[in-house]
Amino acid sequence: MRMCDPQRIKGWWFLPGAPSERLPGVLTWSQEDGANLELIGGLSGAPKYEQVGANLWQTDEVVSKMPPSTIYGEDDSGAPLTLWNAERGNCKANFLHGIREEFWNSPWVCVGAHVPSADARALRSASVALDDLYYLTGDGRFCAPQWAQIEGVTRAGEQQEDGTLLLPYIVPVIGGLRAGLFSGATGDTEYYIDTYATRPPATPATEAMPDLKLDMMTQRRRGGQRLELSVGARARIRPVPDASPCSATELLDRLSPLLGLMKLATFAARGVESISSETLEGEQVSLLCHLGHLSAPDSPTESGGVVFTLDDVPLDHFLRTLRELTSTAQARYAWNAVVGLVGHSPRMVEEHISQVLAAAEGFHKWCLHGGSKTLKDRLILLHDSLPKDVKERLKVDVDRWADWAVWARNHVAHGGADKYRDVVDFYQLKVIADSVRLITYLVVLRKFGVPADKLEEAIANHPRIRVLAHRCVEIGDLPMP
């Protein structure tokens, strides 16, 4: 089940401790809003009354208070579902008839099993589909079309008097699963990236009747027949040793390195299409979770949107470098600040200035072990660590850039700097923020071993990076301090 697909599921719902007290209701899911459950009746208990007299009781509740809860469900077919950390929203109730309707919201849905909580160590591993992951693999499955001779087609390629022009061709496809094309590991997790492509069904019946393969792959629409071929990639997350049990929350935490990889490789926040797993009892489950970044696997991908691939930075090297950069708690915080800015541009320029300068300073100090230095020195050192050809493409007036960046940070952080500077408009601050953001990003890529020519190509052609590169040139338009 894909997170990007809206769902509407009718079923019966109950609390884990009261399986016999079931209520009918409808669960809806969207990746924008998460899960919303509308019940006929309510799971909440009766209000608590306090005796204030001999025959007098009072309460300030219509229904009892409910903490975030796990809710179990069964759809029309009897398949199990679980909502985790569900919070009660609005409800319709009165003292005479109790609860008539109740509404719950949850960021989690487990489809396929009843699991007590998101922290219950009841899962083995995860298979994750990420937007644009396939384009990092370089695994070509579609080969160039070839003209062919097909029985029954005469005068192929010739224009006939009635307009007939037949061009038989074959599209070679390398179908099936290629497991473990890339792999890597951290101390407690193994990561694998698999690729797959459409392949004909292989059964005794299809081998005996080859035309059946085509029939099973063909979609019949009113406009005609359609044959769709697709390729894709999935990541496998396997806790070690021996696929030891873990919780949904732990699986999501272990997904973080892959989300960081996708952000760095595309300079954008990429969504999660789906997460599937297996319980300790062997039940296959799909996890729907509200992650914030929307998945759009069916939307066109942007041309030139990939900065580097896993051939440039192997997965094991990426994971090893990431461990080195985030070896302390402060470094992990700084890393999260840097990666969090990829794909996110605050609307308020003051917020942008504050975030990018904090990320640059923290990355140099904690991830690169930059020691005790001024912010200006850190910025200059970050810029100077870039390859010569990359610096020549950016054309940054380094002293002016670092001086203005320090002033802008102080101006924003302290409600005005001691040394006043006349800022013509807020665009000047945006020039500073975008240039710091880009240079920090490029330094991060170099730490992971992205080749210099890939950085130059991104500066010239990437749809978002080339815009930020132009901001670096505009630093020269800022007045001298």
Side-chain angles (χ1 to χ4, degrees), residues 20 27 39 50 160 176 202-203 252 260 269 303 321 329 351 446 464:
S20 61
L27 172 69
L39 296 175
E50 179 182 358
Q160 300 178 37
T203 65
L252 206 58
S303 177
T321 305
E351 181 185 358
R446 284 299 293 167
R464 290 176 297 281

Side-chain angles (χ1 to χ4, degrees), residues 96 117 131 213 235 238-239 257 260 272 284 297 347 357 373 392 417 433:
L96 294 178
S117 75
D131 289 354
K213 297 178 185 178
R238 183 176 181 271
V272 178
Q284 300 298 318
R347 293 186 178 182
L357 268 300
K373 292 181 176 62
E392 290 178 352

Side-chain angles (χ1 to χ4, degrees), residues 217-252:
M217 297 175 67
T218 302
Q219 301 177 17
R220 287 168 172 77
R221 305 293 175 85
R222 292 186 176 183
Q225 294 183 344
R226 181 179 301 173
L227 180 63
E228 292 186 355
L229 302 176
S230 64
V231 296
R234 294 184 72 89
R236 282 182 289 134
I237 302 173
R238 183 176 181 271
V240 292
D242 193 27
S244 55
C246 63
S247 68
T249 302
E250 289 172 332
L251 285 178
L252 206 58

Side-chain angles (χ1 to χ4, degrees), residues 200-216:
T203 65
T206 58
E207 297 310 300
M209 297 178 290
D211 288 346
L212 184 59
K213 297 178 185 178
L214 178 62
D215 185 64
M216 295 178 68

Side-chain angles (χ1 to χ4, degrees), residues 7-166:
Q7 304 290 337
R8 186 177 186 275
I9 303 173
K10 295 183 294 181
W12 294 87
W13 308 89
F14 54 94
L15 295 175
S20 61
E21 300 175 11
R22 302 184 173 214
L23 297 174
V26 177
L27 172 69
T28 58
W29 165 267
S30 72
Q31 58 178 343
E32 294 89 351
D33 301 323
N36 289 284
L37 177 62
E38 181 178 352
L39 296 175
I40 299 176
L43 298 173
S44 304
K48 296 180 180 179
Y49 290 87
E50 179 182 358
Q51 188 172 9
V52 295
N55 296 306
L56 184 62
W57 299 74
Q58 71 176 17
T59 181
D60 59 356
E61 301 174 335
V62 177
V63 295
S64 65
K65 294 182 173 62
M66 290 287 288
S69 305
T70 293
I71 299 176
Y72 286 167
E74 291 181 0
D75 66 14
D76 287 344
S77 66
L81 302 100
T82 305
L83 276 65
W84 294 317
N85 301 331
E87 295 186 355
R88 189 184 66 193
N90 191 23
C91 64
K92 297 180 181 179
N94 57 52
F95 287 108
L96 294 178
H97 300 99
I99 304 173
R100 298 172 57 191
E101 293 181 359
E102 193 172 65
F103 303 87
W104 293 79
N105 178 264
S106 172
W108 284 96
V109 182
C110 176
V111 182
H114 287 155
V115 180
S117 75
D119 297 321
R121 307 193 70 185
L123 304 176
R124 293 191 183 278
S125 60
S127 177
V128 184
L130 296 162
D131 289 354
D132 284 333
L133 176 61
Y134 175 76
Y135 299 100
L136 270 62
T137 67
D139 185 33
R141 297 299 196 97
F142 294 157
C143 304
Q146 301 174 8
W147 302 120
Q149 296 292 328
I150 295 180
E151 184 178 352
V153 179
T154 60
R155 301 175 62 183
E158 297 181 17
Q159 180 86 40
Q160 300 178 37
E161 293 180 358
D162 63 356
T164 298
L165 179 62
L166 301 179

Side-chain angles (χ1 to χ4, degrees), residues 404-468:
W404 267 100
V406 172
W407 176 86
R409 195 279 299 272
N410 294 339
H411 176 69
V412 169
H414 303 302
D418 291 336
K419 295 182 178 179
Y420 176 76
R421 293 184 184 180
D422 186 20
V423 178
V424 177
D425 55 40
F426 288 115
Y427 183 74
Q428 290 183 333
L429 295 179
K430 181 171 178 57
V431 167
I432 297 167
D434 283 345
S435 57
V436 173
R437 180 184 183 189
L438 175 59
I439 289 173
T440 305
Y441 169 73
L442 296 177
V443 172
V444 171
L445 294 192
R446 284 299 293 167
K447 293 303 296 183
F448 282 98
V450 178
D453 62 327
K454 290 288 184 176
L455 303 188
E456 294 182 64
E457 182 179 345
I459 292 170
N461 300 316
H462 192 280
R464 290 176 297 281
I465 293 176
R466 67 187 179 194
V467 174
L468 301 188

Side-chain angles (χ1 to χ4, degrees), residues 132-138 182 193 257-268 304-315 317-319 335 342 441-442 444-458 462 465:
D132 284 333
L133 176 61
Y134 175 76
Y135 299 100
L136 270 62
T137 67
F182 298 95
I193 294 179
L258 296 180
L259 295 177
L261 169 66
M262 294 306 304
K263 284 187 174 185
L264 294 180
T266 62
F267 198 63
V306 174
V307 179
F308 65 88
T309 70
L310 291 168
D311 289 325
D312 302 314
V313 182
L315 184 59
H317 173 75
F318 175 85
L319 294 172
W335 169 257
V342 176
Y441 169 73
L442 296 177
V444 171
L445 294 192
R446 284 299 293 167
K447 293 303 296 183
F448 282 98
V450 178
D453 62 327
K454 290 288 184 176
L455 303 188
E456 294 182 64
E457 182 179 345
H462 192 280
I465 293 176

